[in-house]
Amino acid sequence: MKDVYLFSGFLGSGKTSLLTDTIRQLKEKGLKPAILMNELGKLPFDSQAVDEDIPLKEMLEGCICCTGSEKTEAQLQTLLAGEAFDVLIIETTGAAHPVEALDAVYSPLFAKQLNVKGIVTVVDSLLWLNRQTLPPQVRSLFLEQIRHAHLLLANKMDLLSDDQQAKITYELQSFNPSAAIIQTSHGKCPLSILERLKGTVRTTDVNRARIGEELALSTRLVSFKQSVDKEEFEDWLRTLPSSVYRMKGYVPVLGMKNPMLFQYSYGMVQWLPEYVKMEPVIVMIGEQISQLQVPGSV
């Protein structure tokens, strides 16, 4: 199973600096990283910072979290099938929502091969102090990237006074009390801190977060033991709390030869017939999802 880190953060926050420094630390430890990088434009500017000997896949002209989701799955499958590496680092574009980015990399096709250690959000400390000047939509995305992190790097601390540093740390801790916070400059974070992250706790069947360790955003892999009635399953979906953001995978449905491709997003449901017999599993993404009882899984 490959450990996966998802680097999030607003445009210009310092994600690429974090990436290059993390690569350096991994190589010094004898570990080989692979990189999946997302850029909105046609040219891969950030990827120029990655050494040629490191497996690299790029998503250009599209966001990893929306229209690029299927392409992302294809890139990940190529990496897993054709490259030897120890750790996967995914650097999202500054315009990516972390929940949707995590959804894009959690295909049921290879969910059992990936162990997402957590979402690391690099926070531009100067931008945090001036967040009220941002347009409402931009400010909302900026805050969402922070709210869903497992680890927050309060970056650019070298540009702030002691009082400003204390203010930012206190405010970030209040805004996302589940995340650890460290103060950084130039995006440098000790590898030992990243390795201690426990964004998910996996089993072969159901991913149950340990009591007291459930973080702001977690995932759960559910295997089905029996087919479900489609209408009854949809009735169950309508009872789900708003803290369940995403589900996708293959659900065995009574009367259907193969498990159906299933997607759930913020209350919206989509079913599609599948002409190949896929493993009946779904991935759930949300908050406080470990105890939800899924029909057909027991």
Side-chain angles (χ1 to χ4, degrees):
M1 185 175 289
K2 311 290 188 182
D3 284 345
V4 181
Y5 297 95
L6 196 150
F7 289 174
S8 176
F10 205 66
L11 299 163
S13 61
K15 291 191 305 299
T16 301
S17 296
L18 170 64
L19 175 66
T20 55
D21 190 61
T22 302
I23 290 172
R24 175 188 62 80
Q25 294 182 77
L26 287 168
K27 294 176 75 172
E28 287 178 355
K29 195 175 178 179
L31 297 173
K32 184 175 183 179
I35 312 298
L36 179 63
M37 185 176 289
N38 182 211
E39 298 190 66
L40 289 176
K42 293 182 179 180
L43 299 177
F45 291 110
D46 288 348
S47 63
Q48 296 170 11
V50 178
D51 295 338
E52 292 183 1
D53 62 332
I54 295 176
L56 170 70
K57 295 294 180 182
E58 297 165 296
M59 288 287 299
L60 302 179
E61 290 191 279
C63 182
I64 194 173
C65 62
C66 42
T67 56
S69 180
E70 291 183 1
K71 294 180 181 178
T72 303
E73 291 185 8
Q75 297 280 45
L76 276 172
Q77 281 185 289
T78 302
L79 274 176
L80 288 167
E83 301 285 356
F85 61 93
D86 302 302
V87 178
L88 175 63
I89 301 174
I90 299 165
E91 182 191 335
T92 65
T93 170
H97 189 294
V99 175
E100 294 169 348
L102 187 58
D103 172 68
V105 303
Y106 244 127
S107 168
L109 296 175
F110 43 73
K112 291 182 179 179
Q113 301 177 57
L114 302 177
N115 175 39
V116 177
K117 297 281 284 183
I119 295 173
V120 181
T121 295
V122 185
V123 182
D124 184 329
S125 297
L126 289 172
L127 188 59
W128 173 266
L129 290 175
N130 298 296
R131 61 190 181 280
Q132 297 304 326
T133 65
L134 295 170
Q137 275 190 309
V138 175
R139 184 169 65 249
S140 176
L141 175 61
F142 177 61
L143 295 178
E144 283 289 282
Q145 291 172 340
I146 295 169
R147 187 170 79 86
H148 290 292
H150 300 105
L151 173 65
L152 291 171
L153 306 186
N155 200 30
K156 304 185 182 180
M157 282 287 160
D158 54 315
L159 304 178
L160 304 176
S161 67
D162 290 345
D163 287 345
Q164 287 176 318
Q165 291 180 13
K167 173 182 171 66
I168 287 171
T169 303
Y170 173 78
E171 290 180 350
L172 289 176
Q173 188 69 78
S174 299
F175 188 73
N176 183 352
S178 298
I181 299 174
I182 66 169
Q183 297 180 348
T184 59
S185 297
H186 309 293
K188 292 186 177 180
C189 175
L191 181 61
S192 59
I193 292 178
L194 297 177
E195 290 177 330
R196 287 199 296 269
L197 284 172
K198 297 179 181 178
T200 60
V201 182
R202 286 200 164 280
T203 69
T204 56
D205 179 27
V206 175
N207 171 26
R208 295 189 181 278
R210 284 175 277 183
I211 301 300
E213 290 189 7
E214 181 144 352
L215 301 174
L217 185 66
S218 59
T219 63
R220 177 178 168 188
L221 185 66
V222 178
S223 297
F224 288 89
K225 307 300 184 186
Q226 59 191 38
S227 297
V228 302
D229 180 274
K230 189 165 175 281
E231 290 187 7
E232 291 180 0
F233 195 79
E234 290 184 349
D235 288 340
W236 170 74
L237 292 173
R238 283 188 279 271
T239 70
L240 291 175
S242 58
S243 57
V244 180
Y245 303 132
R246 295 281 196 274
M247 283 188 284
K248 67 177 181 179
Y250 300 93
V251 178
V253 175
L254 291 171
M256 300 296 292
K257 180 180 178 182
N258 297 319
M260 294 187 71
L261 176 61
F262 163 78
Q263 296 196 56
Y264 172 94
S265 176
Y266 296 100
M268 303 294 290
V269 181
Q270 182 181 35
W271 298 91
L272 290 172
E274 180 59 56
Y275 300 102
V276 177
K277 189 174 180 60
M278 305 298 292
E279 183 180 1
V281 296
I282 60 171
V283 174
M284 305 176 70
I285 301 173
E287 300 177 51
Q288 300 176 343
I289 59 175
S290 62
Q291 302 304 320
L292 290 175
Q293 298 297 315
V294 181
S297 65
V298 290

